[in-house]
Short mmCIF file of all heavy atoms in Angstrom, two decimals:
data_model
loop_
_atom_site.label_atom_id
_atom_site.label_comp_id
_atom_site.label_asym_id
_atom_site.label_seq_id
_atom_site.Cartn_x
_atom_site.Cartn_y
_atom_site.Cartn_z
N ASP A 296 -2.15 18.69 2.56
CA ASP A 296 -2.02 19.78 3.53
C ASP A 296 -2.77 19.40 4.80
O ASP A 296 -4.00 19.32 4.81
CB ASP A 296 -2.59 21.07 2.93
CG ASP A 296 -2.46 22.26 3.87
OD1 ASP A 296 -1.86 22.10 4.95
OD2 ASP A 296 -2.97 23.34 3.50
N PHE A 297 -2.03 19.18 5.88
CA PHE A 297 -2.66 18.76 7.13
C PHE A 297 -3.60 19.82 7.70
O PHE A 297 -4.47 19.50 8.51
CB PHE A 297 -1.59 18.39 8.16
CG PHE A 297 -0.83 17.14 7.82
CD1 PHE A 297 0.48 17.21 7.35
CD2 PHE A 297 -1.41 15.89 7.97
CE1 PHE A 297 1.18 16.05 7.03
CE2 PHE A 297 -0.72 14.72 7.65
CZ PHE A 297 0.58 14.81 7.18
N ALA A 298 -3.46 21.06 7.29
CA ALA A 298 -4.34 22.12 7.76
C ALA A 298 -5.60 22.26 6.91
O ALA A 298 -6.44 23.11 7.19
CB ALA A 298 -3.59 23.45 7.79
N ALA A 299 -5.77 21.42 5.89
CA ALA A 299 -6.92 21.52 5.00
C ALA A 299 -8.22 21.27 5.75
O ALA A 299 -8.24 20.57 6.77
CB ALA A 299 -6.78 20.53 3.84
N THR A 300 -9.30 21.79 5.23
CA THR A 300 -10.60 21.59 5.86
C THR A 300 -11.40 20.47 5.18
O THR A 300 -12.53 20.19 5.60
CB THR A 300 -11.43 22.89 5.82
OG1 THR A 300 -11.56 23.33 4.47
CG2 THR A 300 -10.76 23.96 6.65
N LYS A 301 -10.81 19.84 4.17
CA LYS A 301 -11.45 18.70 3.52
C LYS A 301 -10.39 17.66 3.18
O LYS A 301 -9.20 17.96 3.12
CB LYS A 301 -12.18 19.13 2.25
CG LYS A 301 -13.40 20.00 2.51
CD LYS A 301 -14.16 20.31 1.22
CE LYS A 301 -15.39 21.15 1.51
NZ LYS A 301 -16.16 21.46 0.27
N GLY A 302 -10.84 16.43 2.95
CA GLY A 302 -9.94 15.37 2.57
C GLY A 302 -10.71 14.15 2.15
O GLY A 302 -11.93 14.20 1.95
N LYS A 303 -10.01 13.04 2.00
CA LYS A 303 -10.61 11.75 1.66
C LYS A 303 -10.28 10.75 2.75
O LYS A 303 -9.20 10.80 3.35
CB LYS A 303 -10.07 11.24 0.32
CG LYS A 303 -10.38 12.15 -0.87
CD LYS A 303 -11.87 12.15 -1.20
CE LYS A 303 -12.16 12.98 -2.44
NZ LYS A 303 -13.62 13.03 -2.74
N TRP A 304 -11.22 9.84 2.98
CA TRP A 304 -10.95 8.79 3.95
C TRP A 304 -11.09 7.43 3.29
O TRP A 304 -11.83 7.26 2.32
CB TRP A 304 -11.88 8.88 5.16
CG TRP A 304 -13.34 8.63 4.88
CD1 TRP A 304 -14.28 9.54 4.50
CD2 TRP A 304 -14.02 7.37 4.96
NE1 TRP A 304 -15.50 8.94 4.34
CE2 TRP A 304 -15.37 7.60 4.61
CE3 TRP A 304 -13.61 6.07 5.28
CZ2 TRP A 304 -16.32 6.58 4.59
CZ3 TRP A 304 -14.56 5.05 5.25
CH2 TRP A 304 -15.90 5.32 4.92
N GLU A 305 -10.35 6.48 3.81
CA GLU A 305 -10.39 5.11 3.31
C GLU A 305 -10.24 4.17 4.49
O GLU A 305 -9.61 4.48 5.49
CB GLU A 305 -9.26 4.90 2.29
CG GLU A 305 -9.32 3.57 1.56
CD GLU A 305 -10.65 3.37 0.85
OE1 GLU A 305 -10.82 3.83 -0.28
OE2 GLU A 305 -11.53 2.74 1.49
N VAL A 306 -10.83 3.00 4.36
CA VAL A 306 -10.70 1.97 5.37
C VAL A 306 -9.36 1.26 5.18
O VAL A 306 -9.03 0.85 4.08
CB VAL A 306 -11.86 0.97 5.26
CG1 VAL A 306 -11.61 -0.27 6.11
CG2 VAL A 306 -13.15 1.64 5.66
N LEU A 307 -8.61 1.12 6.26
CA LEU A 307 -7.35 0.39 6.20
C LEU A 307 -7.51 -1.03 6.69
O LEU A 307 -7.04 -1.98 6.05
CB LEU A 307 -6.29 1.11 7.03
CG LEU A 307 -4.96 0.38 7.19
CD1 LEU A 307 -4.27 0.21 5.86
CD2 LEU A 307 -4.05 1.12 8.17
N LEU A 308 -8.17 -1.20 7.84
CA LEU A 308 -8.16 -2.52 8.47
C LEU A 308 -9.34 -2.67 9.41
O LEU A 308 -9.68 -1.76 10.17
CB LEU A 308 -6.86 -2.67 9.25
CG LEU A 308 -6.52 -4.04 9.82
CD1 LEU A 308 -6.35 -5.07 8.71
CD2 LEU A 308 -5.25 -3.96 10.65
N LYS A 309 -9.99 -3.81 9.35
CA LYS A 309 -11.00 -4.21 10.32
C LYS A 309 -10.40 -5.32 11.17
O LYS A 309 -9.87 -6.30 10.64
CB LYS A 309 -12.27 -4.68 9.62
CG LYS A 309 -13.36 -5.10 10.57
CD LYS A 309 -14.75 -5.11 9.92
CE LYS A 309 -14.80 -5.95 8.69
NZ LYS A 309 -16.19 -6.06 8.18
N CYS A 310 -10.49 -5.19 12.49
CA CYS A 310 -9.71 -6.04 13.39
C CYS A 310 -10.51 -7.25 13.87
O CYS A 310 -11.73 -7.30 13.76
CB CYS A 310 -9.24 -5.22 14.58
SG CYS A 310 -8.28 -3.77 14.09
N GLY A 311 -9.79 -8.21 14.44
CA GLY A 311 -10.39 -9.43 14.94
C GLY A 311 -9.78 -10.64 14.27
O GLY A 311 -8.91 -10.53 13.40
N ASP A 312 -10.24 -11.81 14.67
CA ASP A 312 -9.69 -13.07 14.18
C ASP A 312 -10.22 -13.36 12.78
O ASP A 312 -11.40 -13.65 12.61
CB ASP A 312 -10.08 -14.20 15.14
CG ASP A 312 -9.42 -15.53 14.79
OD1 ASP A 312 -8.83 -15.63 13.71
OD2 ASP A 312 -9.51 -16.45 15.62
N PRO A 313 -9.37 -13.32 11.75
CA PRO A 313 -9.86 -13.55 10.39
C PRO A 313 -10.27 -14.99 10.12
O PRO A 313 -10.92 -15.26 9.11
CB PRO A 313 -8.66 -13.14 9.52
CG PRO A 313 -7.48 -13.29 10.39
CD PRO A 313 -7.94 -12.99 11.78
N SER A 314 -9.92 -15.92 11.01
CA SER A 314 -10.31 -17.31 10.81
C SER A 314 -11.76 -17.56 11.20
O SER A 314 -12.31 -18.63 10.91
CB SER A 314 -9.40 -18.25 11.60
OG SER A 314 -9.64 -18.14 13.00
N VAL A 315 -12.38 -16.60 11.87
CA VAL A 315 -13.79 -16.72 12.26
C VAL A 315 -14.61 -15.87 11.29
O VAL A 315 -14.56 -14.64 11.33
CB VAL A 315 -14.00 -16.25 13.71
CG1 VAL A 315 -15.47 -16.38 14.10
CG2 VAL A 315 -13.10 -17.03 14.66
N ALA A 316 -15.36 -16.53 10.43
CA ALA A 316 -16.03 -15.82 9.34
C ALA A 316 -16.96 -14.73 9.85
O ALA A 316 -17.04 -13.65 9.25
CB ALA A 316 -16.82 -16.82 8.49
N ASP A 317 -17.65 -14.97 10.96
CA ASP A 317 -18.61 -13.99 11.45
C ASP A 317 -17.96 -12.71 11.94
O ASP A 317 -18.61 -11.67 12.04
CB ASP A 317 -19.44 -14.60 12.60
CG ASP A 317 -20.42 -15.65 12.12
OD1 ASP A 317 -20.65 -15.73 10.89
OD2 ASP A 317 -20.94 -16.42 12.96
N VAL A 318 -16.68 -12.77 12.25
CA VAL A 318 -15.97 -11.57 12.71
C VAL A 318 -15.78 -10.59 11.57
O VAL A 318 -15.86 -9.38 11.75
CB VAL A 318 -14.61 -11.96 13.34
CG1 VAL A 318 -13.75 -10.73 13.60
CG2 VAL A 318 -14.84 -12.71 14.65
N GLY A 319 -15.51 -11.08 10.37
CA GLY A 319 -15.37 -10.21 9.21
C GLY A 319 -14.13 -9.36 9.21
O GLY A 319 -14.12 -8.24 8.69
N ALA A 320 -13.03 -9.86 9.81
CA ALA A 320 -11.78 -9.09 9.83
C ALA A 320 -11.19 -9.00 8.43
O ALA A 320 -11.47 -9.83 7.56
CB ALA A 320 -10.79 -9.74 10.78
N SER A 321 -10.35 -7.97 8.21
CA SER A 321 -9.83 -7.72 6.86
C SER A 321 -8.31 -7.66 6.81
O SER A 321 -7.74 -6.94 6.01
CB SER A 321 -10.42 -6.43 6.30
OG SER A 321 -10.07 -5.32 7.10
N PHE A 322 -7.63 -8.42 7.67
CA PHE A 322 -6.18 -8.54 7.55
C PHE A 322 -5.84 -9.23 6.23
O PHE A 322 -6.63 -10.01 5.69
CB PHE A 322 -5.61 -9.37 8.70
CG PHE A 322 -5.69 -8.70 10.04
CD1 PHE A 322 -6.76 -8.93 10.88
CD2 PHE A 322 -4.69 -7.84 10.46
CE1 PHE A 322 -6.84 -8.32 12.13
CE2 PHE A 322 -4.76 -7.22 11.69
CZ PHE A 322 -5.83 -7.45 12.53
N SER A 323 -4.64 -8.96 5.72
CA SER A 323 -4.21 -9.63 4.49
C SER A 323 -4.06 -11.12 4.74
O SER A 323 -3.90 -11.57 5.88
CB SER A 323 -2.88 -9.05 4.01
OG SER A 323 -1.80 -9.62 4.74
N THR A 324 -4.08 -11.90 3.65
CA THR A 324 -3.92 -13.34 3.79
C THR A 324 -2.53 -13.73 4.25
O THR A 324 -2.31 -14.87 4.68
CB THR A 324 -4.22 -14.04 2.45
OG1 THR A 324 -3.37 -13.49 1.43
CG2 THR A 324 -5.68 -13.84 2.06
N ALA A 325 -1.57 -12.80 4.19
CA ALA A 325 -0.22 -13.08 4.68
C ALA A 325 -0.12 -12.97 6.20
O ALA A 325 0.90 -13.35 6.78
CB ALA A 325 0.78 -12.12 4.03
N THR A 326 -1.15 -12.47 6.84
CA THR A 326 -1.15 -12.33 8.30
C THR A 326 -1.35 -13.71 8.93
O THR A 326 -2.29 -14.43 8.58
CB THR A 326 -2.27 -11.38 8.76
OG1 THR A 326 -2.05 -10.10 8.17
CG2 THR A 326 -2.28 -11.24 10.27
N THR A 327 -0.48 -14.07 9.86
CA THR A 327 -0.54 -15.39 10.48
C THR A 327 -1.54 -15.42 11.62
O THR A 327 -2.14 -14.40 11.99
CB THR A 327 0.84 -15.78 11.04
OG1 THR A 327 1.11 -14.99 12.22
CG2 THR A 327 1.94 -15.57 10.00
N ALA A 328 -1.68 -16.60 12.22
CA ALA A 328 -2.56 -16.74 13.38
C ALA A 328 -2.07 -15.92 14.57
O ALA A 328 -2.86 -15.58 15.46
CB ALA A 328 -2.67 -18.22 13.77
N ASN A 329 -0.78 -15.60 14.59
CA ASN A 329 -0.24 -14.74 15.65
C ASN A 329 -0.39 -13.26 15.32
O ASN A 329 -0.32 -12.42 16.21
CB ASN A 329 1.25 -15.05 15.86
CG ASN A 329 1.50 -16.46 16.30
OD1 ASN A 329 0.88 -16.95 17.24
ND2 ASN A 329 2.41 -17.16 15.62
N GLY A 330 -0.58 -12.95 14.06
CA GLY A 330 -0.49 -11.56 13.61
C GLY A 330 -1.74 -10.74 13.73
O GLY A 330 -1.68 -9.52 13.74
N TRP A 331 -2.90 -11.39 13.84
CA TRP A 331 -4.12 -10.58 13.94
C TRP A 331 -4.27 -10.03 15.36
O TRP A 331 -3.72 -10.56 16.31
CB TRP A 331 -5.35 -11.39 13.54
CG TRP A 331 -5.72 -12.51 14.49
CD1 TRP A 331 -5.38 -13.83 14.38
CD2 TRP A 331 -6.52 -12.41 15.68
NE1 TRP A 331 -5.90 -14.55 15.42
CE2 TRP A 331 -6.62 -13.71 16.24
CE3 TRP A 331 -7.17 -11.37 16.33
CZ2 TRP A 331 -7.33 -13.99 17.40
CZ3 TRP A 331 -7.88 -11.64 17.50
CH2 TRP A 331 -7.94 -12.93 18.02
N PHE A 332 -5.02 -8.97 15.50
CA PHE A 332 -5.27 -8.36 16.81
C PHE A 332 -6.65 -7.72 16.83
O PHE A 332 -7.29 -7.52 15.79
CB PHE A 332 -4.20 -7.32 17.15
CG PHE A 332 -4.10 -6.19 16.16
CD1 PHE A 332 -4.93 -5.08 16.24
CD2 PHE A 332 -3.16 -6.23 15.13
CE1 PHE A 332 -4.84 -4.04 15.32
CE2 PHE A 332 -3.06 -5.20 14.21
CZ PHE A 332 -3.90 -4.10 14.30
N GLY A 333 -7.08 -7.40 18.02
CA GLY A 333 -8.31 -6.66 18.21
C GLY A 333 -8.08 -5.50 19.14
O GLY A 333 -7.07 -5.40 19.81
N MET A 334 -9.03 -4.57 19.19
CA MET A 334 -9.02 -3.42 20.08
C MET A 334 -7.79 -2.53 19.93
O MET A 334 -7.03 -2.32 20.87
CB MET A 334 -9.16 -3.86 21.55
CG MET A 334 -10.50 -4.47 21.89
SD MET A 334 -10.81 -6.10 21.14
CE MET A 334 -9.78 -7.15 22.13
N PRO A 335 -7.54 -2.00 18.72
CA PRO A 335 -6.42 -1.07 18.55
C PRO A 335 -6.60 0.16 19.43
O PRO A 335 -7.71 0.69 19.53
CB PRO A 335 -6.48 -0.71 17.07
CG PRO A 335 -7.92 -0.91 16.70
CD PRO A 335 -8.38 -2.08 17.52
#
């Protein structure tokens, strides 16, 4: 119910370049070098 006053939240995605370990992005491993993004 979108009008509810309570709900649950979950993390979907952390953005940035997943090839850089310090960034800590969480795209799936199927995401290519073209597929990642930042600043949604």
Side-chain angles (χ1 to χ4, degrees):
D296 182 4
F297 291 106
T300 57
K301 292 185 179 180
K303 298 291 184 182
W304 66 272
E305 189 56 85
V306 168
L307 173 63
L308 189 63
K309 181 161 55 173
C310 304
D312 186 350
S314 71
V315 181
D317 289 346
V318 170
S321 61
F322 291 94
S323 80
T324 56
T326 300
T327 72
N329 298 310
W331 68 264
F332 59 85
M334 293 69 75

